Amino acid sequence: MGIEQKAGEMGVITTTLEQVVNWGRTNSMWPMLFGLACCAIEMMAAQASSYDMSRFGMELNRASPRQSDLMIVAGRVSRKMAPVVRHLYDQMPDPKWVIAMGDCASCGGVYNNYAILQGVDEVVPVDVYVAGCPPRPEGLIHGVITLHDKVRHEKLKTWG
Amino acid sequence: MDEHLQPVVDALQARFGVAVHEYAGEVSLTVKADQIVEVCQSLRDDHAFEMLIDETAVDYYPEMEPRFHVIYQVYSMSKNIILCLRVPVDGTNPHLPTIETVWAGANWYEREVFDMFGILYDGHSDMRRIVMPADWQGHPLRKDYPLGYEEVQFTFNYEDVQRRKPHPKE
Amino acid sequence: MSDIVAFRDVKVEELKHLLSPRALTGETMLLNMGPQHPSTHGVLRLLLELDGEIVVNCIPDIGFLHTGVEKNMESKLFQQAEVMVDRLDYLNPLGNNLTYCLAVEKLVGLDVPERAQTLRVLLSELTRINSHLVWIGTSGLDLAAMSVFLYAMREREMILDIFEMISGQRMMTTYIRPGGVWRDVPAEFEPAVREFIRIFPARLKEYESMLTNNALFLERTQGIGVISKEDCIRYSLTGPVLRGSGMAYDLRKARPYSGYEQYNFDVPTETAGDVYARYLVRVEEMRQSLRIVEQALDKMPTGPIRSNNRKFIPPPRSELGVSMEALIHHFKLWTEGYPAPKEGVYAATESPRGELGVYLEGDGGPKPYRVHLRTPSFISLQAMPLLTKGHFVADVVGIIGSIDIVLGDADR
């Protein structure tokens, strides 16, 4: 593992609470298994064989919001779906993060009309926006790594 | 016109007095609203049109009167011909008899037309909205219904839009 | 008794014409499945009335992905409106493009050169394989066969790489345009497709070895979700569902478009009409699609890839540098568009899910007056009550998978 060299004979490591908690949070971030539209297919591709997002500790997709930390809003959010998205977000336990995947979830994309919410940030607070229509799996993975970076630098006093 | 289609059109013309229009190889018949069930029944039983492919509506507001045209595409598998029916529907209190009894598949098409255009179907078994939320106001595909365009946020109007935009609580 | 709530804010009283009388007394249980459910393939909500574990009634509720595409297209030029159709049925983007382009071409009377036709056929068949691969993966996943998903996504990447090579985009290519295709394919295209043709049959055998004779899979699929040929026709169901019930109806044979009459392929049918029959039909369809791809690649003619009708098609880029008129014409076509007659046309293609139709009406201007999309998922979902009645809740998942719905397609 490598850790025993660092810990030495005593089996003790010294670190800050902030660091160890943030390390734990980033490396087992479980996304909610929840797809809306086209982007969900690319999200599936990101988790499948060629791109394999589990390399970043995200292999476990939870179908229940109660067991997930990360909500990937993959696709356009219609006015009928918006209350449901908010409801799902409210059901997730803290700490929780949101990635708006794709143009539609970020800003409405090509659909500027009565039916589509102009960005999911109107109903849930978004941490990372991923551009693209749909974003490539690499794009999503980059978004996830950006989020990890953000979480790793969170401060003790801002923990929710 | 297709050799199989000609006798069908002739028979319908003789019996119901429908108007025939042809464009790009497609034949459409204009049928009166109160005759539509009979016409469909006759198409299915006498002329082997087994399948209703499509049913939709067009809103000609404000240019044309009557305002709506309901459009049916019916298909005969055995003869491999497709026929289009047009039914003009008046704009004030629009309603039309349902053809659900002829082709069961018309159920959802008619619910969609009701949802999008507000045309009520008499005798329909389940006249609820289908795609829009149940409490939605208005019928989106009518021409007098706005598209609902929202101003797009760019660098030059960022602050302006940001102030107006709804922001959720954590 | 009247305080039983069916959907959010919808009292069970309002749905009593769809439920059995036992639901009103609370004797049967109402269960909401979706819209966030891993096996509904998107945002579908089903209200199930259950007697123990048996489904008594099923009421689908759609519209959670309603995008307002039809309304939005009315405000765009004919060329611009095309990007909207890609994102409808997001597993069949090229097929959607093709259907829309066929409608536009029919409306304005535009010809398509031979090479473009062949490319269209080739690409829409690759899209069909792509769509069926996602289907086999996800419906395997629903029935607890995880590995098929990982295998199928591997081959799907090969197809997406081909799409990316020709258009620059993996999924939403908008490669097929009215009057032809966007631009010619690069030199690497042919070897890439040949490689796919070489590899794919063996891979297809792999999937089959995981599912076709798998006892668990057979148990979950045979005799489940049976629908008769007559019911299919009554409910306007087309595509693999109809073919799985024993009717050899395929638009590519019945009303050929884009020169499908020149290709040799079979229309696979099964008679059982259950989930397993639909599975067999789709697997065989992939094999037939591969045959078409190979034939198209072999006969690929040379020549222009776009119509030369300058009324609708902008002049090629090589002319823009030397001819002022060509430049003005190019500018005007892209900013003002071209007028279409005040007529309505209906064009349809065989999408992986069934008959995909576009009803397009012009009003003499450069924008569509009305676009209606006849989408196969919408129609297939209508038969859900029929398909699920009398089965276990667990089988509902398999049935949804077998009709292969895409919610973007159903809700538009």
Side-chain angles (χ1 to χ4, degrees), chain B residues 23-35:
Chain B
Y23 178 76
E26 285 183 21
V27 179
S28 65
L29 309 176
T30 309
V31 183
K32 287 194 203 73
D34 49 352
Q35 287 180 337

Side-chain angles (χ1 to χ4, degrees), chain C residues 75-150:
Chain C
S75 65
K76 302 208 178 286
L77 301 179
F78 280 106
Q79 305 103 308
Q80 293 173 328
E82 202 193 331
V83 293
M84 301 258 153
V85 294
D86 278 277
R87 290 153 181 83
L88 275 176
D89 179 351
Y90 35 80
L91 294 181
N92 180 32
L94 282 151
N96 293 356
N97 286 165
L98 177 60
T99 323
Y100 176 75
C101 291
L102 287 175
V104 174
E105 282 152 12
K106 201 169 182 182
L107 184 66
V108 299
L110 196 55
D111 60 303
V112 182
E114 194 57 29
R115 185 175 168 83
Q117 298 270 31
T118 316
L119 273 173
R120 283 176 173 195
V121 167
L122 199 163
L123 291 169
S124 54
E125 290 310 315
L126 278 180
T127 316
R128 188 183 315 278
I129 297 175
N130 165 26
S131 168
H132 283 349
L133 281 175
V134 175
W135 160 79
I136 202 173
T138 49
S139 55
L141 203 59
D142 292 345
L143 300 175
M146 175 87 190
S147 33
V148 194
F149 172 73
L150 297 173

Side-chain angles (χ1 to χ4, degrees), chain B residues 21-26 50-64 71 73 75 77 80 82 84 86 102-109 111-112 116-117 125-132 134-135 139-147, chain C residues 7 9-10 14-15 17-18 59-64 66 68 70-72 74-75 106-109 232-238 242 247 249 253-255 341-347 355 359 361 368-370 372-374 378-379 381-382 410-412:
Chain B
H21 177 74
E22 202 176 344
Y23 178 76
E26 285 183 21
E50 300 95 351
M51 197 184 256
L52 173 75
I53 291 188
D54 194 12
E55 179 176 346
T56 182
V58 185
D59 182 7
Y60 292 103
Y61 181 83
E63 291 117 38
M64 238 157 87
I71 291 157
Q73 309 277 351
Y75 179 61
M77 281 185 156
N80 194 20
I82 190 165
C84 172
R86 268 172 178 270
V102 187
W103 291 289
N107 189 325
W108 275 29
Y109 291 123
R111 278 180 70 188
E112 198 197 358
M116 291 294 158
F117 292 92
S125 65
D126 186 22
M127 199 83 273
R128 291 179 296 134
R129 279 187 184 272
I130 187 163
V131 288
M132 301 309 289
D135 54 355
H139 301 282
L141 279 178
R142 287 189 175 189
K143 288 282 173 185
D144 50 0
Y145 189 94
L147 178 64
Chain C
F7 293 133
D9 306 329
V10 177
E14 294 170 40
L15 296 170
H17 56 291
L18 299 169
I59 307 174
D61 178 19
I62 62 168
F64 290 95
H66 177 62
E70 292 177 8
K71 180 94 175 172
N72 219 340
E74 287 170 10
S75 65
K106 201 169 182 182
L107 184 66
V108 299
C232 282
I233 293 172
R234 238 158 39 86
Y235 278 92
S236 319
L237 298 179
T238 48
L242 182 59
M247 181 94 192
Y249 171 67
K253 291 273 190 203
R255 284 179 276 152
K342 208 172 171 142
E343 297 281 354
V345 292
Y346 176 81
E355 173 167 350
Y359 177 79
E361 215 173 288
Y369 190 73
R370 170 91 172 98
H372 174 72
L373 300 139
R374 185 260 188 228
F378 181 76
I379 314 299
L381 267 175
Q382 189 173 188
D411 299 346
R412 306 189 289 284

Side-chain angles (χ1 to χ4, degrees), chain B residues 84-153:
Chain B
C84 172
L85 305 174
R86 268 172 178 270
V87 181
V89 178
D90 193 54
T92 49
N93 182 24
H95 67 105
L96 196 67
T98 177
I99 59 158
E100 205 194 342
T101 44
V102 187
W103 291 289
N107 189 325
W108 275 29
Y109 291 123
E110 291 180 347
R111 278 180 70 188
E112 198 197 358
V113 171
F114 163 66
D115 194 352
M116 291 294 158
F117 292 92
I119 299 174
L120 274 163
Y121 284 86
D122 306 329
H124 192 279
S125 65
D126 186 22
M127 199 83 273
R128 291 179 296 134
R129 279 187 184 272
I130 187 163
V131 288
M132 301 309 289
D135 54 355
W136 193 263
Q137 297 289 316
H139 301 282
L141 279 178
R142 287 189 175 189
K143 288 282 173 185
D144 50 0
Y145 189 94
L147 178 64
Y149 182 86
E150 279 178 33
E151 199 183 343
V152 183
Q153 197 169 18

Side-chain angles (χ1 to χ4, degrees), chain A residues 16-57:
Chain A
T16 60
L17 181 64
E18 225 168 50
Q19 265 179 358
V20 75
V21 170
N22 285 343
W23 171 82
R25 282 178 175 179
T26 40
N27 287 307
S28 65
M29 199 179 265
W30 291 356
M32 181 156 54
L33 182 53
F34 169 55
L36 287 167
C38 336
C39 293
I41 307 292
E42 286 298 62
M43 189 169 81
M44 270 157 54
Q47 282 147 356
S49 25
S50 316
Y51 294 95
D52 191 16
M53 211 156 65
S54 45
R55 290 175 291 164
F56 307 98

